[in-house]
Coordinates of all heavy atoms in Angstrom, one line a residue:
W1 N 84.8 98.9 101.6 CA 85.6 98.5 100.5 C 86.9 98.0 101.0 O 87.8 98.9 101.3 CB 85.7 99.6 99.4 CG 86.3 99.1 98.1 CD1 86.2 97.9 97.6 CD2 87.0 99.9 97.2 NE1 86.9 97.8 96.4 CE2 87.4 99.0 96.1 CE3 87.5 101.2 97.2 CZ2 88.1 99.5 95.0 CZ3 88.2 101.6 96.1 CH2 88.5 100.8 95.0
N2 N 87.0 96.7 101.3 CA 88.2 96.3 102.0 C 89.5 96.5 101.2 O 89.5 96.6 100.0 CB 88.0 94.8 102.5 CG 88.0 93.8 101.4 OD1 88.9 93.8 100.5 ND2 87.1 92.9 101.5
S3 N 90.6 96.5 101.9 CA 91.9 96.8 101.3 C 92.3 95.8 100.2 O 92.9 96.1 99.2 CB 93.0 96.9 102.3 OG 93.0 95.7 103.1
M4 N 91.8 94.5 100.3 CA 92.2 93.5 99.3 C 91.5 93.8 98.0 O 92.1 93.8 96.9 CB 91.8 92.1 99.8 CG 92.2 91.0 98.7 SD 91.6 89.4 99.2 CE 92.4 89.2 100.7
L5 N 90.2 94.2 98.0 CA 89.5 94.6 96.8 C 90.0 95.9 96.3 O 90.1 96.0 95.0 CB 88.0 94.7 97.1 CG 87.2 93.4 97.3 CD1 85.8 93.7 97.7 CD2 87.2 92.6 96.0
R6 N 90.4 96.8 97.1 CA 90.9 98.0 96.7 C 92.2 97.8 95.9 O 92.4 98.4 94.9 CB 91.2 98.9 97.9 CG 91.4 100.4 97.6 CD 91.7 101.1 98.9 NE 90.5 101.1 99.7 CZ 89.7 102.2 100.0 NH1 90.0 103.3 99.5 NH2 88.7 102.0 100.8
R7 N 93.1 96.9 96.4 CA 94.3 96.6 95.7 C 94.1 95.9 94.3 O 94.8 96.1 93.4 CB 95.3 95.8 96.5 CG 96.0 96.6 97.6 CD 97.1 95.8 98.3 NE 96.6 94.6 98.9 CZ 96.2 94.5 100.2 NH1 96.2 95.6 100.9 NH2 95.8 93.4 100.7
R8 N 93.1 95.0 94.3 CA 92.8 94.3 93.1 C 92.1 95.1 92.0 O 92.2 94.8 90.8 CB 91.9 93.1 93.4 CG 92.6 92.0 94.1 CD 91.6 90.8 94.3 NE 92.3 89.8 95.0 CZ 91.6 88.7 95.5 NH1 90.4 88.6 95.2 NH2 92.3 87.8 96.1
S9 N 91.5 96.2 92.4 CA 90.8 97.0 91.5 C 91.8 97.8 90.6 O 92.6 98.5 91.1 CB 89.9 98.0 92.2 OG 89.3 98.9 91.3
K10 N 91.6 97.6 89.3 CA 92.5 98.3 88.4 C 91.9 99.5 87.7 O 92.5 100.3 87.0 CB 92.8 97.3 87.2 CG 93.5 96.0 87.7 CD 95.0 96.1 87.6 CE 95.6 94.7 87.8 NZ 95.9 94.4 89.2
S11 N 90.6 99.8 88.0 CA 89.9 100.9 87.4 C 89.3 101.8 88.5 O 89.2 101.4 89.6 CB 88.9 100.4 86.4 OG 87.8 99.8 87.1
S12 N 88.8 102.9 88.1 CA 88.1 103.8 89.0 C 86.6 103.4 89.1 O 85.9 103.9 89.9 CB 88.2 105.2 88.6 OG 87.6 105.4 87.3
V13 N 86.2 102.4 88.3 CA 84.8 101.9 88.3 C 84.7 100.7 89.3 O 85.4 99.8 89.1 CB 84.3 101.5 86.9 CG1 82.9 101.0 87.0 CG2 84.4 102.7 85.9
V14 N 83.8 100.9 90.2 CA 83.7 99.8 91.2 C 82.2 99.4 91.2 O 81.3 100.2 91.2 CB 84.1 100.3 92.6 CG1 83.8 99.3 93.7 CG2 85.5 100.7 92.7
C15 N 82.0 98.1 91.2 CA 80.6 97.6 91.2 C 80.0 97.5 92.6 O 80.7 97.4 93.6 CB 80.5 96.3 90.4 SG 81.3 94.9 91.2
L16 N 78.7 97.7 92.6 CA 78.0 97.7 93.9 C 78.3 96.4 94.7 O 78.3 96.4 95.9 CB 76.5 97.8 93.6 CG 75.6 98.4 94.6 CD1 76.1 99.7 95.2 CD2 74.2 98.6 94.0
E17 N 78.4 95.3 94.0 CA 78.7 94.0 94.7 C 79.9 94.0 95.5 O 80.0 93.4 96.5 CB 78.8 92.9 93.6 CG 78.9 91.5 94.2 CD 78.9 90.5 93.0 OE1 78.9 90.9 91.9 OE2 78.9 89.3 93.4
W18 N 80.9 94.8 95.1 CA 82.2 94.9 95.9 C 82.0 95.8 97.2 O 82.7 95.6 98.1 CB 83.3 95.6 95.1 CG 83.8 94.8 94.0 CD1 83.4 93.5 93.6 CD2 84.7 95.1 93.0 NE1 84.1 93.1 92.5 CE2 84.9 94.1 92.1 CE3 85.5 96.3 92.8 CZ2 85.8 94.1 91.1 CZ3 86.4 96.3 91.8 CH2 86.5 95.2 90.9
L19 N 81.0 96.6 97.2 CA 80.7 97.5 98.3 C 79.7 97.0 99.3 O 79.7 97.4 100.5 CB 80.4 98.9 97.8 CG 81.3 99.5 96.8 CD1 80.8 100.8 96.3 CD2 82.7 99.8 97.5
V20 N 78.7 96.3 98.8 CA 77.6 95.8 99.7 C 77.7 94.3 99.8 O 77.4 93.5 98.9 CB 76.2 96.2 99.1 CG1 75.1 95.7 99.9 CG2 76.2 97.7 98.9
A21 N 78.2 93.8 101.0 CA 78.4 92.4 101.2 C 77.1 91.6 101.3 O 77.1 90.4 100.9 CB 79.3 92.2 102.4
D22 N 76.1 92.2 101.9 CA 74.8 91.5 102.1 C 74.1 91.3 100.8 O 73.6 92.3 100.1 CB 74.0 92.3 103.1 CG 72.6 91.7 103.4 OD1 72.1 91.0 102.6 OD2 72.1 92.0 104.5
K23 N 74.0 90.1 100.3 CA 73.5 89.8 99.0 C 72.0 90.2 98.9 O 71.5 90.6 97.8 CB 73.6 88.3 98.6 CG 75.1 87.8 98.6 CD 75.9 88.6 97.6 CE 77.3 88.2 97.6 NZ 78.3 89.2 97.1
S24 N 71.3 90.0 100.0 CA 69.8 90.4 100.0 C 69.7 91.9 99.8 O 68.9 92.4 99.0 CB 69.2 89.9 101.3 OG 67.9 90.4 101.3
L25 N 70.5 92.6 100.5 CA 70.5 94.1 100.4 C 70.9 94.5 99.0 O 70.3 95.4 98.4 CB 71.4 94.7 101.5 CG 71.5 96.3 101.4 CD1 70.1 97.0 101.6 CD2 72.5 96.7 102.5
L26 N 71.9 93.9 98.5 CA 72.4 94.2 97.2 C 71.3 94.0 96.1 O 71.1 94.9 95.3 CB 73.6 93.3 96.8 CG 74.2 93.4 95.4 CD1 74.8 94.8 95.2 CD2 75.3 92.3 95.2
A27 N 70.6 92.9 96.2 CA 69.5 92.7 95.3 C 68.4 93.7 95.4 O 67.9 94.2 94.4 CB 68.9 91.3 95.5
Q28 N 68.1 94.1 96.6 CA 67.0 95.1 96.9 C 67.5 96.5 96.3 O 66.6 97.2 95.7 CB 66.7 95.2 98.4 CG 66.0 94.0 98.9 CD 65.8 94.1 100.4 OE1 66.8 94.2 101.2 NE2 64.6 94.2 100.9
L29 N 68.7 96.8 96.5 CA 69.2 98.1 96.0 C 69.2 98.1 94.5 O 68.7 99.0 93.9 CB 70.7 98.3 96.4 CG 70.9 98.7 97.9 CD1 72.3 98.6 98.3 CD2 70.3 100.1 98.1
R30 N 69.6 97.0 93.8 CA 69.6 96.9 92.4 C 68.2 97.0 91.8 O 68.0 97.5 90.7 CB 70.3 95.7 91.9 CG 71.9 95.8 92.0 CD 72.5 94.6 91.5 NE 74.0 94.8 91.4 CZ 74.8 93.8 91.4 NH1 74.4 92.5 91.5 NH2 76.1 94.0 91.3
N31 N 67.2 96.4 92.5 CA 65.8 96.4 92.1 C 65.1 97.7 92.3 O 64.0 97.9 91.9 CB 65.1 95.3 92.8 CG 65.5 93.9 92.3 OD1 65.9 93.7 91.2 ND2 65.3 92.9 93.2
G32 N 65.8 98.6 93.1 CA 65.1 99.9 93.4 C 64.1 99.8 94.5 O 63.1 100.5 94.5
D33 N 64.3 98.8 95.4 CA 63.3 98.6 96.5 C 63.3 99.7 97.5 O 62.4 99.7 98.4 CB 63.5 97.2 97.1 CG 63.2 96.1 96.2 OD1 62.6 96.3 95.1 OD2 63.6 94.9 96.6
F34 N 64.3 100.5 97.5 CA 64.4 101.6 98.5 C 64.4 103.0 97.8 O 65.0 103.1 96.8 CB 65.7 101.5 99.4 CG 65.9 100.3 100.1 CD1 66.8 99.3 99.7 CD2 65.2 100.0 101.3 CE1 66.9 98.1 100.4 CE2 65.3 98.9 102.0 CZ 66.2 97.9 101.6
S35 N 63.8 103.9 98.5 CA 63.9 105.3 98.1 C 63.4 106.2 99.2 O 62.3 105.9 99.7 CB 63.1 105.6 96.8 OG 63.4 106.9 96.3
P36 N 64.2 107.1 99.7 CA 65.5 107.4 99.2 C 66.6 106.5 99.7 O 66.4 105.8 100.7 CB 65.7 108.8 99.7 CG 64.9 108.9 101.0 CD 63.7 108.0 100.7
V37 N 67.7 106.5 99.0 CA 68.9 105.8 99.4 C 69.9 106.9 99.9 O 70.3 107.8 99.0 CB 69.6 105.0 98.3 CG1 70.9 104.4 98.7 CG2 68.7 103.9 97.8
V38 N 70.2 107.0 101.2 CA 71.0 108.1 101.7 C 72.4 107.6 101.9 O 72.6 106.6 102.6 CB 70.4 108.6 103.0 CG1 71.2 109.7 103.6 CG2 68.9 109.1 102.8
V39 N 73.4 108.3 101.3 CA 74.8 108.0 101.5 C 75.3 108.9 102.6 O 75.2 110.2 102.5 CB 75.5 108.1 100.2 CG1 77.0 107.9 100.4 CG2 74.9 107.2 99.1
L40 N 76.0 108.4 103.5 CA 76.6 109.1 104.6 C 78.1 109.0 104.6 O 78.6 107.8 104.5 CB 76.0 108.6 106.0 CG 76.4 109.3 107.3 CD1 75.2 109.1 108.2 CD2 77.6 108.7 107.8
D41 N 78.8 110.1 104.7 CA 80.3 110.1 104.7 C 80.7 111.1 105.7 O 80.2 112.2 105.8 CB 80.8 110.4 103.3 CG 82.3 110.6 103.2 OD1 83.0 109.6 103.5 OD2 82.7 111.7 103.0
D42 N 81.7 110.8 106.5 CA 82.1 111.7 107.6 C 83.2 112.7 107.2 O 83.5 113.6 107.9 CB 82.6 110.9 108.8 CG 83.9 110.1 108.6 OD1 84.3 109.9 107.5 OD2 84.4 109.7 109.6
N43 N 83.7 112.6 105.9 CA 84.8 113.5 105.5 C 84.3 114.6 104.5 O 85.2 115.4 104.2 CB 85.9 112.7 104.8 CG 86.6 111.8 105.8 OD1 86.8 112.1 107.0 ND2 86.9 110.6 105.4
S44 N 83.1 114.6 104.1 CA 82.7 115.6 103.1 C 81.4 116.2 103.4 O 80.5 115.6 104.0 CB 82.5 114.9 101.7 OG 83.7 114.2 101.4

C-alpha cells in the first residue's frame, strides 16, 4: 500500500484494488479462485 494511496485514503476501509496491483491476481482473488489465501505479516 504505497505512501501516495495511504495519504489519499480518507477512511479506514481500503479496497483490494489498492493493495493488489496485479489485475489478473486481483480478479482471481475476487472470484475466489484460491483457497486458502494466506496472509503473512512480519510484525504480528
Side-chain angles (χ1 to χ4, degrees):
W1 190 26
N2 70 45
S3 56
M4 182 184 302
L5 285 175
R6 195 178 297 248
R7 282 192 299 270
R8 286 183 182 173
S9 174
K10 303 262 191 272
S11 70
S12 60
V13 178
V14 174
C15 65
L16 205 48
E17 186 174 4
W18 292 358
L19 304 174
V20 179
D22 180 332
K23 300 302 179 203
S24 174
L25 176 61
L26 177 65
Q28 290 176 296
L29 286 167
R30 285 182 170 156
N31 289 334
D33 292 349
F34 299 106
S35 188
V37 175
V38 179
V39 175
L40 183 151
D41 173 63
D42 65 348
N43 293 324
S44 305

